[in-house]
DNA sequence: CTGAAAGCGCTTACAG
DNA sequence: CTGAAAGCGCTTACAG
């Protein structure tokens, strides 16, 4: 489908300032490179050099041009620049179906980095279970000639998508819980370490009988979080029996089911680590239905620090990931020309936030 | 700040197909209007007419051109079109600080309408408490030459912003709980009616002593929701005493405070209507701390049907607004050329979703 | 350090 | 119904 041409609803309101004898005419509408060139007495090529921070401009010339640009409120037209550069000043954010808060925080972060940069953020949710979703992303990138894209879980874990982007020469940054790509294209959230911290915390409280509700194995984060937790316990001499581990689906209902399963065990766990907050909320429901108090009878730890976490009662102990910082950093990497020199992938480590859903076990 | 020019990371991989004697050469990279014109033996102006659905093209010519475009996978370059049209194929979503789920649903809805339209969605959060936020929106619109913008509460309620957009000739659609503008620029969510439904529901259950926690008065939605609820009760003969109404701030903590205030009254309310789910979650906390059971001792009704609502325990009775539909409709109105003919503003009415937090009062 | 010419891929204004 | 010319606001490639 081709979009129909925009239909203006009103005519331009700005009228041209009348030219005077001793000063060159000011531009009527928005100033262009030609106006700047003419009024500052240089060629448009020189103005272009100033725009693009070329060193090949005499400092005085540069100052003069910059002053005029500022005076006229001139900003170069991104469409014209894009046409000439064969590339746009748009960054794409591609994602599958994470939680709303995660998406929004990522957007805020990316926009932090893009502010006043002349770049804008274009969002592209997609359904990675569809065969043709990569085609959809490819068309999006090609059609808009995107400067680059940010990929967040789960699409960030898809090697075929990354390969398709490389093939069309589109730069990208993948946010994932392990390094899946060359350093300049990677931003690692160390979920494994954070989950180990949760394990250490529960062990240090005195918990010995512990349940784990993991995410679905097809998410790399689920594996990292689960393994990190188990490794943390193991390092402190606690081996979790396999039937104290339940594979959930990162959904509320699977959290309920997981807790029903675990709380029926004997001995009953005194603590449950749920690999996201939604499932932790499900644990609350199951525990309360059984008349178990939190944290009196059961300690619960979640992961994500979603808005939910602080609005449950009791407030949920959980792991906070600096998603906005991650989004900011990802966008920076896309804009930064020095990033490709990176040797080690950048990373961030989420950390535990202790609230009211966890305490020493009774007895 | 001027963005530095994009730096390509790799060279083009596509090689030109070798021209043969009996067929014109196929374009090397992405096909352009010139390729289509040359290969189909018409002028580029005619191809342009086909692109823009001009009726002034012979049907046969149109078919021939369309077939070739399809064969070569040609899509017009939005930047080039934009430069010539002096307008981009971008839609802006401008918002202040609503909940994450609301933003994301609105984005999904808008993207539903933009899919395969050639338009893309650019997001623009802003801080409407800052003096210069309107300037920021203006620059955003002007710089990107946006086709139009969608405004959602609370920025949609700002007359100065709307005036600024009219002044620069930018089309917009305002999503708000009352008609604030001409019909083609308005999409009304009838929060008042939905809140009246909540009042009817509680009255029909038998509640007579009822508490109300409103949102902050500076939000039009807060006024509509609060007044709609009070009007609904009044229509059924229940006059709420002023001290059974608490003005909250749409935040969890204000919900807690409001509930503390209302639950200390005598007689104690048997039901509380909180004007958003976050505050309703706060009511849960306050009730549970006092040892009051929900819904046994207290019925609670929220507003928004956020993810939180179904993840609380017990699941929250609340009002569901079809936000995704609203986003879709708003984007459609922006793309649709017939919309300006609208006499009455379009509207949607949210509806009550009964879950487990409400029942007949005891005794 | 600076500039005149040609071009990016489209459209408008005009002519037929 | 169709097209040749000029232009949108920038940049690249070349020359000095």
């Amino acid at each position: 489908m081709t979009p129909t041409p925009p239909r203006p609803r009103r005519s331009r309101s700005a009228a041209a300032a009348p030219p005077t004898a001793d000063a060159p005419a000011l531009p009527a509408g928005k100033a262009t490179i030609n106006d700047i060139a003419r009024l500052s007495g240089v060629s448009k090529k020189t103005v272009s050099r100033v725009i693009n921070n070329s060193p090949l401009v005499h400092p005085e010339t540069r100052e003069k041009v910059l002053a005029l640009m500022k005076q006229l409120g001139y900003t170069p037209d991104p469409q014209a620049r894009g046409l000439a550069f064969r590339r746009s000043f748009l960054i794409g954010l591609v994602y599958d179906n994470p939680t709303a808060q995660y998406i929004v925080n990522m957007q805020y972060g990316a926009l932090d980095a893009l502010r006043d940069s002349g770049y804008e953020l274009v969002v592209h949710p997609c359904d990675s279970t569809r065969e043709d979703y990569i085609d959809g992303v490819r068309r999006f990138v090609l059609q808009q000639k995107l400067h680059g894209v940010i990929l967040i879980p789960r699409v960030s874990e898809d090697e075929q998508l990354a390969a398709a982007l490389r093939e069309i020469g589109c730069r990208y940054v993948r946010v994932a819980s392990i390094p899946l790509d060359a350093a300049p294209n990677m931003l690692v959230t160390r979920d494994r370490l954070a989950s180990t911290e949760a394990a250490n915390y529960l062990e240090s409280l005195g918990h010995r009988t512990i349940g784990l509700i993991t995410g679905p194995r097809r998410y790399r984060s689920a594996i990292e979080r689960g393994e990190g937790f188990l490794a943390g316990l193991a390092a402190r001499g606690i081996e979790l029996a396999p039937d104290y581990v339940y594979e959930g689906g990162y959904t509320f209902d699977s959290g309920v089911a997981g807790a029903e399963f675990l709380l029926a065990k004997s001995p009953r766990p005194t603590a449950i680590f749920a690999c996201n907050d939604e499932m932790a909320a499900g644990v609350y429901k199951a525990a309360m239905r059984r008349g178990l108090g939190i944290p009196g009878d059961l300690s619960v730890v979640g992961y994500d620090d979603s808005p939910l976490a602080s609005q449950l009662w009791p407030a949920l102990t959980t792991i906070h990931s600096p998603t906005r910082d991650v989004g900011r950093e990802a966008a920076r990497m896309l804009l930064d020309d020095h990033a490709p020199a990176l040797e080690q992938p950048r990373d961030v480590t989420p950390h535990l936030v202790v609230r009211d859903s966890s305490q020493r076990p009774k007895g």
Side-chain angles (χ1 to χ4, degrees), chain A residues 134-150:
Chain A
I134 291 182
D135 260 1
V137 177
R138 195 204 320 268
R139 279 202 307 276
F140 172 58
V141 167
L142 250 24
Q143 164 96 20
Q144 300 298 325
K145 303 210 282 299
L146 294 185
H147 175 80
V149 293
I150 299 173

Side-chain angles (χ1 to χ4, degrees), chain A residues 25-314:
Chain A
L26 283 177
K30 201 170 173 280
T32 73
I33 195 173
N34 288 306
D35 300 315
I36 304 295
R38 183 168 42 83
L39 294 175
S40 59
V42 301
S43 73
K44 50 199 267 200
K45 177 59 207 170
T46 294
V47 178
S48 174
R49 287 199 181 87
V50 172
I51 292 172
N52 292 293
N53 293 313
S54 160
L56 304 176
V57 184
H58 192 90
E60 259 179 41
T61 312
R62 176 187 308 281
E63 286 315 314
K64 184 174 59 179
V65 171
L66 281 174
L68 190 64
M69 295 194 323
K70 187 167 178 189
Q71 185 195 329
L72 296 191
Y74 168 78
T75 50
D77 183 326
Q79 304 207 58
R81 294 229 298 159
L83 184 58
F85 272 137
R86 293 160 189 75
R87 205 141 270 194
S88 75
F89 292 90
L90 300 174
I91 299 288
L93 179 66
V94 178
Y95 50 90
D96 188 351
N97 196 21
T99 62
Q101 192 63 54
Y102 184 78
I103 298 175
V104 163
N105 285 344
M106 200 62 79
Q107 292 178 358
Y108 282 127
L111 287 163
D112 287 342
L114 302 187
R115 202 179 322 288
D116 296 322
S117 73
Y119 286 84
E120 294 290 344
L121 186 69
V122 187
V123 295
H124 189 85
C126 53
D127 176 358
S128 70
T129 63
R130 290 184 47 164
E131 276 297 323
D132 60 347
Y133 98 95
I134 291 182
D135 260 1
V137 177
R138 195 204 320 268
R139 279 202 307 276
F140 172 58
V141 167
L142 250 24
Q143 164 96 20
Q144 300 298 325
K145 303 210 282 299
L146 294 185
H147 175 80
V149 293
I150 299 173
L151 309 176
I152 60 185
R154 189 164 75 97
V155 293
S156 62
E157 298 168 3
D158 186 341
E159 292 301 338
Q160 296 195 39
L161 176 58
L165 290 173
R166 281 193 297 270
E167 193 186 322
I168 59 178
C170 175
R171 50 167 84 182
Y172 59 83
V173 168
R174 298 164 76 173
V175 175
S177 51
I178 54 168
L180 293 163
D181 211 311
N185 301 323
M186 253 342 280
L187 194 47
V188 178
T189 58
R190 308 184 71 181
D191 291 21
R192 174 176 290 256
L193 274 187
S195 299
T196 296
E197 188 187 356
N200 292 344
Y201 169 69
L202 288 175
E203 192 277 341
S204 72
L205 284 180
H207 292 280
R208 295 296 176 266
T209 309
I210 299 175
L212 167 63
I213 304 179
T214 70
R217 259 190 282 264
R218 64 178 189 281
Y219 285 75
R220 187 68 221 186
S221 68
I223 296 177
E224 293 300 304
R225 292 176 188 183
E227 288 184 355
F229 186 74
L230 292 173
L233 291 183
R236 296 193 168 208
I238 302 177
E239 295 292 341
L240 229 57
D243 63 332
Y244 279 76
V245 178
Y246 180 94
E247 183 179 335
Y250 275 163
T251 64
F252 178 74
D253 288 336
S254 69
V256 176
E260 300 282 9
F261 174 81
L262 294 170
L263 294 176
K265 298 257 163 252
S266 177
R268 199 179 66 205
T270 59
I272 290 181
F273 177 54
C275 286
N276 76 357
D277 288 350
E278 245 181 89
M279 296 194 297
V283 175
Y284 273 49
K285 175 176 175 180
M288 288 178 174
R289 276 208 303 219
R290 287 178 164 252
L292 296 175
I294 297 173
D297 304 307
L298 179 71
S299 286
V300 182
V301 176
Y303 198 117
D304 279 346
D305 197 16
S306 60
L308 181 67
S310 44
Q311 291 169 14
L312 287 172
W313 192 80

Side-chain angles (χ1 to χ4, degrees), chain A residues 3-27:
Chain A
T4 53
R7 173 187 47 81
R9 271 190 190 157
R10 46 200 318 282
S11 53
R12 284 206 166 175
S13 56
T20 60
D22 50 355
L26 283 177

